[in-house]
């Protein structure tokens, strides 16, 4: 039952993440990056507060646990959300979705290094293909009228790295700290950090409030704050606390597909044949990476 709940959490997490790229792109047509991040975490924090009122949660942690949770928050939300929104401001939802497909490959590499999870030969081939697909997209962009957004896509890769590190660290931390406690603390850190930076950079309360009078923007921020920030934080932490990190990473395939489709169907973004070839190569690599989703440890404990 716990495994099924974890799989369901990973599925819902991937669907929300897949749609979040589109909503971030929508908000960027209305406001600047810093204000979006500040308001996103304000709504995420308000959502967490409402939850805590309905179901009180103990937030007591020892000093070591507190330090680990704050270290996690450095990668997620701080590095992840900063690089993601900057990347989407200089790229397209479609490109970001395709590049997102390398996330499982990166997760496998980091899991093998830090969690001592063994990489099968077929997974190594998959990692190579995933990275080759991204390189192919960049090389092909040099011909024709297709514009490859190098800076934006590199920032998306940084956000993927941050997510991988966050998931691996969460796997260890949640053995001692509950997923809900971790979620509350990292949301609080993001709320304080992004709002502080916004107001330090001469942000005004009038602008803060006025921006939310635009209905499309408000609905997008609500989705990003409550579901895509607070919701996915809890869902992903819960999933990796019950399942191997590599097994959870396979659900990025679903997020990738939803992101690409939302960019093409809803935002009417162009989709060139370069995208098709690159996506096929990347997703093929991802499938090979996850061909063995029950990893074994390199170093078994002695009985």
């Amino acid at each position: 039952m716990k495994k099924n709940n974890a799989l369901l959490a990973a599925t819902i997490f991937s669907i929300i993440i897949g749609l979040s790229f589109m909503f971030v792109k929508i908000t960027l047509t209305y406001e600047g990056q810093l204000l979006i991040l500040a308001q996103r975490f304000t709504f995420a924090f308000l959502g967490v507060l409402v939850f805590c009122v309905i179901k009180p949660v103990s937030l007591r942690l020892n000093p070591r646990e507190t330090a680990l949770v704050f270290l996690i928050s450095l990668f997620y939300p701080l590095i992840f959300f900063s690089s993601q929104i900057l990347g989407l401001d200089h790229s397209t939802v479609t490109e970001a979705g395709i590049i997102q497909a390398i996330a499982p490959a990166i997760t496998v590499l980091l899991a093998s290094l830090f969690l001592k999870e063994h990489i099968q030969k077929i997974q190594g081939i998959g990692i190579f293909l995933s990275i080759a697909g991204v390189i192919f997209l960049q090389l092909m962009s040099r011909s024709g009228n297709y514009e490859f957004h190098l800076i934006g896509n590199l920032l998306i890769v940084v956000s993927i790295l941050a997510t991988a590190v966050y998931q691996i660290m969460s796997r260890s931390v949640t053995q001692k700290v509950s997923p809900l406690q971790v979620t509350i603390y990292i949301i609080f850190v993001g709320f304080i950090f992004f709002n502080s930076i916004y107001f330090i950079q001469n942000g005004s309360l009038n602008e803060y409030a006025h921006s939310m009078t635009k209905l499309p923007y408000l609905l997008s921020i609500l989705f990003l704050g409550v579901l895509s920030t607070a919701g996915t934080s809890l869902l992903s932490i819960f999933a990796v606390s019950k399942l191997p990190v590599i097994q959870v990473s396979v659900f990025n395939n679903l997020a990738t597909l939803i992101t690409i489709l939302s960019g093409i169907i809803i935002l009417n973004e162009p989709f060139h044949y370069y995208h098709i070839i690159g996506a096929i190569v990347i997703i093929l690599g991802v499938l090979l990476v996850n061909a063995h989703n029950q990893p074994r440890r390199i170093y078994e404990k002695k009985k």
Side-chain angles (χ1 to χ4, degrees):
M1 180 61 71
K2 288 184 177 180
K3 181 178 179 180
N4 289 337
N5 289 338
L7 290 171
L8 178 61
T11 301
I12 297 173
F13 160 81
S14 297
I15 293 172
I16 296 173
I17 289 296
L19 291 173
S20 68
F21 284 81
M22 177 188 69
F23 283 104
V24 168
K25 201 68 176 178
I26 291 173
T27 59
L28 285 168
T29 64
Y30 288 91
E31 300 295 343
Q33 302 151 357
L34 197 51
L35 177 57
I36 292 170
L37 287 172
Q39 292 176 331
R40 179 173 185 167
F41 276 88
T42 295
F43 281 112
F45 184 61
L46 290 175
V48 166
L49 285 181
V50 171
F51 182 87
C52 289
V53 169
I54 297 173
K55 184 179 180 180
V57 179
S58 172
L59 298 177
R60 183 174 298 175
L61 300 177
N62 63 43
R64 184 174 183 277
E65 292 169 344
T66 302
L68 287 172
V69 170
F70 278 95
L71 181 60
I72 288 177
S73 67
L74 175 64
F75 293 94
Y76 187 101
L78 303 190
I79 295 177
F80 171 77
F81 284 103
S82 298
S83 56
Q84 184 197 64
I85 197 168
L86 286 169
L88 283 171
D89 200 25
H90 295 86
S91 184
T92 67
V93 170
T94 303
E95 283 182 342
I98 292 173
I99 295 171
Q100 182 71 22
I102 69 172
I106 292 176
T107 302
V108 168
L109 282 172
L110 294 182
S112 69
L113 291 173
F114 297 102
L115 298 181
K116 305 304 180 184
E117 292 178 352
H118 180 69
I119 300 178
Q120 304 290 337
K121 184 177 181 180
I122 193 171
Q123 290 178 312
I125 296 172
I127 293 170
F128 172 78
L129 284 176
S130 293
I131 297 173
V134 175
I135 295 174
F136 169 78
L137 282 175
Q138 182 175 356
L139 293 177
M140 290 302 294
S141 69
R142 296 175 183 270
S143 61
N145 296 320
Y146 171 59
E147 180 185 0
F148 186 85
H149 305 90
L150 178 60
I151 300 300
N153 292 339
L154 285 176
L155 287 167
I156 295 298
V157 171
V158 171
S159 74
I160 292 171
L161 284 168
T163 303
V165 173
Y166 155 74
Q167 288 184 333
I168 289 170
M169 292 185 66
S170 296
R171 175 71 173 168
S172 300
V173 173
T174 50
Q175 305 303 313
K176 298 180 179 179
V177 184
S178 75
L180 186 55
Q181 287 178 311
V182 176
T183 300
I184 292 171
Y185 274 104
I186 65 175
I187 293 300
F188 177 70
V189 170
F191 167 70
I192 295 297
F193 178 81
F194 290 116
N195 277 278
S196 297
I197 295 298
Y198 170 74
F199 287 108
I200 289 173
Q201 296 292 326
N202 299 317
S204 68
L205 282 173
N206 182 55
E207 180 188 20
Y208 201 95
H210 180 71
S211 63
M212 289 185 282
T213 60
K214 308 160 190 172
L215 187 58
Y217 178 79
L218 177 60
L219 293 176
S220 296
I221 282 293
L222 280 170
F223 178 91
L224 292 172
V226 178
L227 291 179
S228 185
T229 303
T232 59
S233 296
L234 179 58
L235 290 169
S236 64
I237 291 175
F238 174 76
V240 298
S241 71
K242 306 297 181 184
L243 298 170
V245 172
I246 295 176
Q247 186 173 350
V248 174
S249 71
V250 74
F251 287 90
N252 281 285
N253 299 332
L254 177 59
T256 297
L257 178 60
I258 293 172
T259 298
I260 293 173
L261 291 177
S262 67
I264 297 169
I265 297 172
I266 301 176
L267 299 182
N268 297 315
E269 292 184 348
F271 192 69
H272 302 276
Y273 76 91
Y274 305 111
H275 291 111
I276 298 174
I277 298 173
I280 290 173
V281 173
I282 291 172
I283 293 175
L284 175 60
V286 169
L287 291 175
L288 292 176
V289 166
N290 290 279
H292 299 275
N293 58 13
Q294 296 293 340
R296 60 185 176 84
R297 296 188 180 278
I298 294 176
Y299 303 108
E300 299 288 349
K301 292 183 178 180
K302 295 182 179 179
K303 294 184 178 180

